[in-house]
mmCIF file of all heavy atoms in Angstrom:
data_model
loop_
_atom_site.group_PDB
_atom_site.id
_atom_site.type_symbol
_atom_site.label_atom_id
_atom_site.label_comp_id
_atom_site.label_asym_id
_atom_site.label_seq_id
_atom_site.Cartn_x
_atom_site.Cartn_y
_atom_site.Cartn_z
ATOM 1 N N ASN A 158 -26.293 65.773 190.202
ATOM 2 C CA ASN A 158 -25.341 64.963 189.451
ATOM 3 C C ASN A 158 -26.159 64.168 188.439
ATOM 4 O O ASN A 158 -27.195 63.608 188.789
ATOM 5 C CB ASN A 158 -24.574 64.012 190.370
ATOM 6 C CG ASN A 158 -23.740 64.766 191.387
ATOM 7 O OD1 ASN A 158 -23.132 65.781 191.073
ATOM 8 N ND2 ASN A 158 -23.722 64.275 192.618
ATOM 9 N N PHE A 160 -26.518 61.430 185.049
ATOM 10 C CA PHE A 160 -25.939 60.228 184.462
ATOM 11 C C PHE A 160 -26.791 59.755 183.285
ATOM 12 O O PHE A 160 -28.010 59.940 183.266
ATOM 13 C CB PHE A 160 -25.910 59.079 185.490
ATOM 14 C CG PHE A 160 -25.249 59.410 186.794
ATOM 15 C CD1 PHE A 160 -25.972 60.039 187.803
ATOM 16 C CD2 PHE A 160 -23.937 59.080 187.022
ATOM 17 C CE1 PHE A 160 -25.376 60.341 189.021
ATOM 18 C CE2 PHE A 160 -23.335 59.377 188.239
ATOM 19 C CZ PHE A 160 -24.056 59.999 189.239
ATOM 20 N N TYR A 162 -27.065 55.884 181.686
ATOM 21 C CA TYR A 162 -26.661 54.485 181.733
ATOM 22 C C TYR A 162 -27.205 53.797 180.485
ATOM 23 O O TYR A 162 -28.246 54.186 179.939
ATOM 24 C CB TYR A 162 -27.232 53.790 182.975
ATOM 25 C CG TYR A 162 -26.560 54.166 184.279
ATOM 26 C CD1 TYR A 162 -26.991 55.276 185.001
ATOM 27 C CD2 TYR A 162 -25.529 53.408 184.795
ATOM 28 C CE1 TYR A 162 -26.388 55.610 186.212
ATOM 29 C CE2 TYR A 162 -24.925 53.737 186.005
ATOM 30 C CZ TYR A 162 -25.364 54.840 186.698
ATOM 31 O OH TYR A 162 -24.768 55.171 187.901
ATOM 32 N N GLN A 164 -27.959 49.789 178.699
ATOM 33 C CA GLN A 164 -28.039 48.337 178.864
ATOM 34 C C GLN A 164 -28.125 47.706 177.494
ATOM 35 O O GLN A 164 -29.174 47.788 176.831
ATOM 36 C CB GLN A 164 -29.231 47.942 179.723
ATOM 37 C CG GLN A 164 -29.243 46.470 180.081
ATOM 38 C CD GLN A 164 -30.255 46.156 181.169
ATOM 39 O OE1 GLN A 164 -31.253 46.843 181.342
ATOM 40 N NE2 GLN A 164 -29.988 45.094 181.926
ATOM 41 N N HIS A 169 -25.126 43.822 181.560
ATOM 42 C CA HIS A 169 -25.437 44.635 182.727
ATOM 43 C C HIS A 169 -25.730 46.064 182.325
ATOM 44 O O HIS A 169 -25.245 46.567 181.307
ATOM 45 C CB HIS A 169 -24.234 44.699 183.677
ATOM 46 C CG HIS A 169 -23.719 43.393 184.154
ATOM 47 N ND1 HIS A 169 -22.949 43.291 185.289
ATOM 48 C CD2 HIS A 169 -23.838 42.144 183.680
ATOM 49 C CE1 HIS A 169 -22.631 42.026 185.481
ATOM 50 N NE2 HIS A 169 -23.140 41.317 184.521
ATOM 51 N N LEU A 170 -26.490 46.739 183.154
ATOM 52 C CA LEU A 170 -26.627 48.178 183.047
ATOM 53 C C LEU A 170 -25.247 48.783 183.356
ATOM 54 O O LEU A 170 -24.600 48.402 184.331
ATOM 55 C CB LEU A 170 -27.642 48.632 184.086
ATOM 56 C CG LEU A 170 -28.322 49.980 183.942
ATOM 57 C CD1 LEU A 170 -29.148 50.018 182.672
ATOM 58 C CD2 LEU A 170 -29.221 50.241 185.141
ATOM 59 N N LEU A 172 -22.511 52.488 183.036
ATOM 60 C CA LEU A 172 -22.453 53.927 182.880
ATOM 61 C C LEU A 172 -21.999 54.304 181.476
ATOM 62 O O LEU A 172 -21.013 53.762 180.960
ATOM 63 C CB LEU A 172 -21.488 54.515 183.910
ATOM 64 C CG LEU A 172 -21.391 56.037 183.936
ATOM 65 C CD1 LEU A 172 -22.673 56.634 184.514
ATOM 66 C CD2 LEU A 172 -20.188 56.489 184.756
ATOM 67 N N LYS A 175 -21.361 60.905 182.557
ATOM 68 C CA LYS A 175 -21.831 61.545 183.790
ATOM 69 C C LYS A 175 -21.435 63.019 183.789
ATOM 70 O O LYS A 175 -20.449 63.418 183.156
ATOM 71 C CB LYS A 175 -21.241 60.842 185.008
ATOM 72 C CG LYS A 175 -19.710 60.868 185.039
ATOM 73 C CD LYS A 175 -19.147 59.974 186.138
ATOM 74 C CE LYS A 175 -17.617 59.974 186.090
ATOM 75 N NZ LYS A 175 -17.031 58.993 187.044
ATOM 76 N N PHE A 177 -20.950 66.166 186.717
ATOM 77 C CA PHE A 177 -20.991 66.625 188.100
ATOM 78 C C PHE A 177 -20.842 68.140 188.173
ATOM 79 O O PHE A 177 -21.516 68.804 188.952
ATOM 80 C CB PHE A 177 -19.885 65.968 188.934
ATOM 81 C CG PHE A 177 -19.963 64.473 188.961
ATOM 82 C CD1 PHE A 177 -18.851 63.687 188.751
ATOM 83 C CD2 PHE A 177 -21.176 63.843 189.180
ATOM 84 C CE1 PHE A 177 -18.937 62.303 188.770
ATOM 85 C CE2 PHE A 177 -21.274 62.460 189.207
ATOM 86 C CZ PHE A 177 -20.141 61.690 188.997
ATOM 87 N N PHE A 216 -30.943 54.803 179.948
ATOM 88 C CA PHE A 216 -31.599 55.350 181.132
ATOM 89 C C PHE A 216 -30.907 56.640 181.567
ATOM 90 O O PHE A 216 -29.689 56.656 181.761
ATOM 91 C CB PHE A 216 -31.541 54.361 182.304
ATOM 92 C CG PHE A 216 -32.347 53.123 182.109
ATOM 93 C CD1 PHE A 216 -31.806 52.013 181.481
ATOM 94 C CD2 PHE A 216 -33.664 53.063 182.551
ATOM 95 C CE1 PHE A 216 -32.555 50.849 181.309
ATOM 96 C CE2 PHE A 216 -34.421 51.907 182.386
ATOM 97 C CZ PHE A 216 -33.866 50.807 181.753
ATOM 98 N N GLU A 220 -29.004 62.287 190.519
ATOM 99 C CA GLU A 220 -28.721 62.206 191.956
ATOM 100 C C GLU A 220 -28.768 63.625 192.474
ATOM 101 O O GLU A 220 -28.001 64.480 192.058
ATOM 102 C CB GLU A 220 -27.364 61.568 192.208
ATOM 103 C CG GLU A 220 -27.140 61.142 193.649
ATOM 104 C CD GLU A 220 -26.458 62.194 194.469
ATOM 105 O OE1 GLU A 220 -25.670 62.965 193.918
ATOM 106 O OE2 GLU A 220 -26.717 62.254 195.681
ATOM 107 N N PHE A 224 -28.523 60.703 198.943
ATOM 108 C CA PHE A 224 -27.963 59.392 198.659
ATOM 109 C C PHE A 224 -28.591 58.737 197.436
ATOM 110 O O PHE A 224 -27.957 57.981 196.732
ATOM 111 C CB PHE A 224 -28.191 58.511 199.895
ATOM 112 C CG PHE A 224 -27.567 57.160 199.794
ATOM 113 C CD1 PHE A 224 -26.282 56.953 200.225
ATOM 114 C CD2 PHE A 224 -28.276 56.094 199.276
ATOM 115 C CE1 PHE A 224 -25.702 55.699 200.148
ATOM 116 C CE2 PHE A 224 -27.714 54.834 199.198
ATOM 117 C CZ PHE A 224 -26.422 54.637 199.634
ATOM 118 N N LYS A 225 -29.874 59.021 197.210
ATOM 119 C CA LYS A 225 -30.603 58.222 196.236
ATOM 120 C C LYS A 225 -30.525 58.793 194.829
ATOM 121 O O LYS A 225 -30.508 59.997 194.622
ATOM 122 C CB LYS A 225 -32.065 58.123 196.671
ATOM 123 C CG LYS A 225 -32.244 57.275 197.924
ATOM 124 C CD LYS A 225 -33.678 57.240 198.387
ATOM 125 C CE LYS A 225 -34.037 58.496 199.149
ATOM 126 N NZ LYS A 225 -35.365 58.379 199.776
ATOM 127 N N THR A 226 -30.478 57.900 193.866
ATOM 128 C CA THR A 226 -30.495 58.263 192.454
ATOM 129 C C THR A 226 -31.849 57.909 191.877
ATOM 130 O O THR A 226 -32.352 56.821 192.103
ATOM 131 C CB THR A 226 -29.384 57.522 191.700
ATOM 132 O OG1 THR A 226 -28.122 57.870 192.270
ATOM 133 C CG2 THR A 226 -29.384 57.890 190.231
ATOM 134 N N ILE A 227 -32.418 58.851 191.143
ATOM 135 C CA ILE A 227 -33.724 58.638 190.509
ATOM 136 C C ILE A 227 -33.502 58.341 189.036
ATOM 137 O O ILE A 227 -32.794 59.095 188.347
ATOM 138 C CB ILE A 227 -34.629 59.878 190.650
ATOM 139 C CG1 ILE A 227 -34.683 60.358 192.095
ATOM 140 C CG2 ILE A 227 -36.020 59.573 190.101
ATOM 141 C CD1 ILE A 227 -35.296 59.369 193.056
ATOM 142 N N PHE A 228 -34.090 57.241 188.568
ATOM 143 C CA PHE A 228 -33.937 56.836 187.180
ATOM 144 C C PHE A 228 -35.197 57.159 186.374
ATOM 145 O O PHE A 228 -36.316 57.082 186.885
ATOM 146 C CB PHE A 228 -33.685 55.332 187.093
ATOM 147 C CG PHE A 228 -32.304 54.921 187.513
ATOM 148 C CD1 PHE A 228 -31.989 54.782 188.857
ATOM 149 C CD2 PHE A 228 -31.320 54.681 186.573
ATOM 150 C CE1 PHE A 228 -30.712 54.409 189.260
ATOM 151 C CE2 PHE A 228 -30.042 54.302 186.966
ATOM 152 C CZ PHE A 228 -29.742 54.172 188.312
ATOM 153 N N GLY A 229 -34.984 57.456 185.085
ATOM 154 C CA GLY A 229 -36.104 57.565 184.166
ATOM 155 C C GLY A 229 -36.577 56.187 183.739
ATOM 156 O O GLY A 229 -35.990 55.165 184.106
ATOM 157 N N ALA A 230 -37.632 56.158 182.946
ATOM 158 C CA ALA A 230 -38.245 54.888 182.531
ATOM 159 C C ALA A 230 -37.476 54.198 181.421
ATOM 160 O O ALA A 230 -37.782 53.057 181.071
ATOM 161 C CB ALA A 230 -39.687 55.129 182.097
ATOM 162 N N LYS B 246 -21.320 51.441 199.515
ATOM 163 C CA LYS B 246 -22.759 51.595 199.271
ATOM 164 C C LYS B 246 -23.274 50.473 198.378
ATOM 165 O O LYS B 246 -22.657 50.120 197.383
ATOM 166 C CB LYS B 246 -23.035 52.929 198.590
ATOM 167 C CG LYS B 246 -22.579 54.146 199.381
ATOM 168 C CD LYS B 246 -22.832 55.407 198.566
ATOM 169 C CE LYS B 246 -22.333 56.655 199.280
ATOM 170 N NZ LYS B 246 -22.472 57.863 198.438
ATOM 171 N N TYR B 248 -27.187 48.727 196.768
ATOM 172 C CA TYR B 248 -28.588 49.068 196.486
ATOM 173 C C TYR B 248 -29.312 47.864 195.890
ATOM 174 O O TYR B 248 -28.709 47.029 195.214
ATOM 175 C CB TYR B 248 -28.667 50.176 195.430
ATOM 176 C CG TYR B 248 -27.695 51.318 195.571
ATOM 177 C CD1 TYR B 248 -26.374 51.173 195.184
ATOM 178 C CD2 TYR B 248 -28.105 52.551 196.065
ATOM 179 C CE1 TYR B 248 -25.476 52.224 195.293
ATOM 180 C CE2 TYR B 248 -27.215 53.612 196.165
ATOM 181 C CZ TYR B 248 -25.903 53.436 195.777
ATOM 182 O OH TYR B 248 -25.015 54.478 195.890
ATOM 183 N N TYR B 250 -32.735 47.435 193.405
ATOM 184 C CA TYR B 250 -33.775 48.081 192.615
ATOM 185 C C TYR B 250 -34.737 47.021 192.092
ATOM 186 O O TYR B 250 -34.352 45.883 191.840
ATOM 187 C CB TYR B 250 -33.180 48.795 191.402
ATOM 188 C CG TYR B 250 -32.340 50.001 191.713
ATOM 189 C CD1 TYR B 250 -30.959 49.885 191.914
ATOM 190 C CD2 TYR B 250 -32.907 51.268 191.794
ATOM 191 C CE1 TYR B 250 -30.186 51.000 192.180
ATOM 192 C CE2 TYR B 250 -32.140 52.390 192.053
ATOM 193 C CZ TYR B 250 -30.778 52.244 192.250
ATOM 194 O OH TYR B 250 -30.005 53.350 192.514
ATOM 195 N N GLN B 252 -37.258 46.457 188.800
ATOM 196 C CA GLN B 252 -37.443 46.996 187.450
ATOM 197 C C GLN B 252 -38.464 46.168 186.699
ATOM 198 O O GLN B 252 -38.306 44.962 186.534
ATOM 199 C CB GLN B 252 -36.113 46.995 186.675
ATOM 200 C CG GLN B 252 -36.238 47.591 185.288
ATOM 201 C CD GLN B 252 -34.988 47.419 184.456
ATOM 202 O OE1 GLN B 252 -34.191 46.527 184.688
ATOM 203 N NE2 GLN B 252 -34.800 48.289 183.477
ATOM 204 N N GLY B 255 -40.347 48.731 180.700
ATOM 205 C CA GLY B 255 -40.849 50.049 180.354
ATOM 206 C C GLY B 255 -41.050 50.990 181.523
ATOM 207 O O GLY B 255 -41.630 52.064 181.363
ATOM 208 N N MET B 256 -40.559 50.595 182.681
ATOM 209 C CA MET B 256 -40.753 51.416 183.885
ATOM 210 C C MET B 256 -39.407 51.838 184.448
ATOM 211 O O MET B 256 -38.357 51.290 184.119
ATOM 212 C CB MET B 256 -41.518 50.618 184.941
ATOM 213 C CG MET B 256 -42.851 50.073 184.482
ATOM 214 S SD MET B 256 -44.051 51.385 184.170
ATOM 215 C CE MET B 256 -44.391 51.894 185.839
ATOM 216 N N GLU B 257 -39.479 52.836 185.350
ATOM 217 C CA GLU B 257 -38.268 53.286 186.025
ATOM 218 C C GLU B 257 -37.705 52.183 186.915
ATOM 219 O O GLU B 257 -38.416 51.283 187.342
ATOM 220 C CB GLU B 257 -38.570 54.493 186.922
ATOM 221 C CG GLU B 257 -39.096 55.724 186.210
ATOM 222 C CD GLU B 257 -40.611 55.738 186.076
ATOM 223 O OE1 GLU B 257 -41.240 54.667 186.214
ATOM 224 O OE2 GLU B 257 -41.153 56.831 185.817
ATOM 225 N N LEU B 258 -36.427 52.302 187.205
ATOM 226 C CA LEU B 258 -35.866 51.481 188.266
ATOM 227 C C LEU B 258 -36.345 52.079 189.590
ATOM 228 O O LEU B 258 -36.189 53.289 189.813
ATOM 229 C CB LEU B 258 -34.335 51.522 188.245
ATOM 230 C CG LEU B 258 -33.601 50.578 187.319
ATOM 231 C CD1 LEU B 258 -33.824 50.959 185.875
ATOM 232 C CD2 LEU B 258 -32.120 50.583 187.650
ATOM 233 N N LEU B 260 -35.940 52.129 193.639
ATOM 234 C CA LEU B 260 -35.074 51.755 194.752
ATOM 235 C C LEU B 260 -35.910 51.154 195.863
ATOM 236 O O LEU B 260 -36.855 51.769 196.359
ATOM 237 C CB LEU B 260 -34.342 52.994 195.257
ATOM 238 C CG LEU B 260 -33.344 52.778 196.384
ATOM 239 C CD1 LEU B 260 -32.155 51.960 195.886
ATOM 240 C CD2 LEU B 260 -32.875 54.115 196.935
ATOM 241 N N TYR B 263 -31.321 50.180 200.410
ATOM 242 C CA TYR B 263 -29.940 50.582 200.215
ATOM 243 C C TYR B 263 -29.176 50.482 201.525
ATOM 244 O O TYR B 263 -29.780 50.354 202.597
ATOM 245 C CB TYR B 263 -29.830 51.986 199.617
ATOM 246 C CG TYR B 263 -30.445 53.105 200.413
ATOM 247 C CD1 TYR B 263 -29.676 53.903 201.242
ATOM 248 C CD2 TYR B 263 -31.809 53.398 200.294
ATOM 249 C CE1 TYR B 263 -30.237 54.951 201.942
ATOM 250 C CE2 TYR B 263 -32.375 54.446 200.997
ATOM 251 C CZ TYR B 263 -31.583 55.222 201.804
ATOM 252 O OH TYR B 263 -32.149 56.261 202.510
ATOM 253 N N TYR B 265 -25.443 51.978 203.522
ATOM 254 C CA TYR B 265 -24.247 52.815 203.531
ATOM 255 C C TYR B 265 -22.995 52.006 203.827
ATOM 256 O O TYR B 265 -21.886 52.442 203.519
ATOM 257 C CB TYR B 265 -24.354 53.883 204.614
ATOM 258 C CG TYR B 265 -25.345 54.986 204.328
ATOM 259 C CD1 TYR B 265 -26.627 54.939 204.849
ATOM 260 C CD2 TYR B 265 -24.987 56.086 203.573
ATOM 261 C CE1 TYR B 265 -27.536 55.959 204.601
ATOM 262 C CE2 TYR B 265 -25.876 57.118 203.328
ATOM 263 C CZ TYR B 265 -27.160 57.040 203.843
ATOM 264 O OH TYR B 265 -28.048 58.043 203.603
ATOM 265 N N ASP B 274 -37.626 54.147 198.128
ATOM 266 C CA ASP B 274 -38.877 54.853 197.844
ATOM 267 C C ASP B 274 -40.047 53.903 197.614
ATOM 268 O O ASP B 274 -41.183 54.226 197.925
ATOM 269 C CB ASP B 274 -38.704 55.727 196.595
ATOM 270 C CG ASP B 274 -37.702 56.825 196.842
ATOM 271 O OD1 ASP B 274 -37.657 57.333 197.978
ATOM 272 O OD2 ASP B 274 -36.978 57.178 195.900
ATOM 273 N N TYR B 314 -19.353 60.419 193.792
ATOM 274 C CA TYR B 314 -20.495 61.035 193.133
ATOM 275 C C TYR B 314 -21.553 60.018 192.765
ATOM 276 O O TYR B 314 -22.272 60.202 191.808
ATOM 277 C CB TYR B 314 -20.054 61.826 191.909
ATOM 278 C CG TYR B 314 -19.135 62.951 192.260
ATOM 279 C CD1 TYR B 314 -17.772 62.837 192.071
ATOM 280 C CD2 TYR B 314 -19.630 64.132 192.800
ATOM 281 C CE1 TYR B 314 -16.923 63.883 192.409
ATOM 282 C CE2 TYR B 314 -18.790 65.177 193.134
ATOM 283 C CZ TYR B 314 -17.439 65.033 192.933
ATOM 284 O OH TYR B 314 -16.591 66.063 193.264
ATOM 285 N N ASN B 315 -21.585 58.947 193.495
ATOM 286 C CA ASN B 315 -22.658 57.983 193.410
ATOM 287 C C ASN B 315 -22.773 57.272 192.075
ATOM 288 O O ASN B 315 -23.848 56.833 191.710
ATOM 289 C CB ASN B 315 -23.995 58.662 193.749
ATOM 290 C CG ASN B 315 -24.833 57.817 194.669
ATOM 291 O OD1 ASN B 315 -24.322 56.924 195.329
ATOM 292 N ND2 ASN B 315 -26.117 58.078 194.710
ATOM 293 N N GLU B 316 -21.693 57.193 191.281
ATOM 294 C CA GLU B 316 -21.717 56.364 190.078
ATOM 295 C C GLU B 316 -21.918 54.923 190.518
ATOM 296 O O GLU B 316 -21.189 54.412 191.373
ATOM 297 C CB GLU B 316 -20.399 56.494 189.329
ATOM 298 C CG GLU B 316 -20.245 55.544 188.167
ATOM 299 C CD GLU B 316 -18.874 55.645 187.540
ATOM 300 O OE1 GLU B 316 -18.176 56.648 187.781
ATOM 301 O OE2 GLU B 316 -18.506 54.703 186.818
ATOM 302 N N GLN B 317 -22.888 54.259 189.946
ATOM 303 C CA GLN B 317 -23.249 52.919 190.392
ATOM 304 C C GLN B 317 -22.834 51.855 189.387
ATOM 305 O O GLN B 317 -22.885 52.069 188.183
ATOM 306 C CB GLN B 317 -24.755 52.848 190.642
ATOM 307 C CG GLN B 317 -25.191 53.773 191.774
ATOM 308 C CD GLN B 317 -26.659 53.695 192.074
ATOM 309 O OE1 GLN B 317 -27.299 52.676 191.857
ATOM 310 N NE2 GLN B 317 -27.207 54.776 192.582
ATOM 311 N N PHE B 319 -23.723 47.929 188.294
ATOM 312 C CA PHE B 319 -24.870 47.041 188.396
ATOM 313 C C PHE B 319 -24.510 45.590 188.150
ATOM 314 O O PHE B 319 -23.632 45.270 187.346
ATOM 315 C CB PHE B 319 -25.948 47.453 187.385
ATOM 316 C CG PHE B 319 -26.699 48.682 187.784
ATOM 317 C CD1 PHE B 319 -26.200 49.943 187.521
ATOM 318 C CD2 PHE B 319 -27.916 48.579 188.454
ATOM 319 C CE1 PHE B 319 -26.885 51.084 187.899
ATOM 320 C CE2 PHE B 319 -28.616 49.712 188.832
ATOM 321 C CZ PHE B 319 -28.098 50.970 188.559
ATOM 322 N N PRO B 321 -26.088 41.657 186.993
ATOM 323 C CA PRO B 321 -26.859 41.223 185.834
ATOM 324 C C PRO B 321 -28.358 41.100 186.086
ATOM 325 O O PRO B 321 -29.138 40.979 185.154
ATOM 326 C CB PRO B 321 -26.261 39.849 185.511
ATOM 327 C CG PRO B 321 -25.753 39.367 186.818
ATOM 328 C CD PRO B 321 -25.268 40.575 187.558
#
Side-chain angles (χ1 to χ4, degrees):
Chain A
N158 297 320
F160 307 85
Y162 286 87
Q164 188 168 26
H169 303 200
L170 199 63
L172 184 71
K175 60 189 177 187
F177 301 133
F216 293 88
E220 194 267 330
F224 185 90
K225 291 177 280 189
T226 300
I227 310 296
F228 286 81
Chain B
K246 301 177 183 175
Y248 317 78
Y250 292 91
Q252 182 188 24
M256 304 293 288
E257 299 89 342
L258 275 69
L260 183 67
Y263 59 98
Y265 288 97
D274 295 325
Y314 298 102
N315 224 19
E316 173 185 343
Q317 296 182 28
F319 285 83

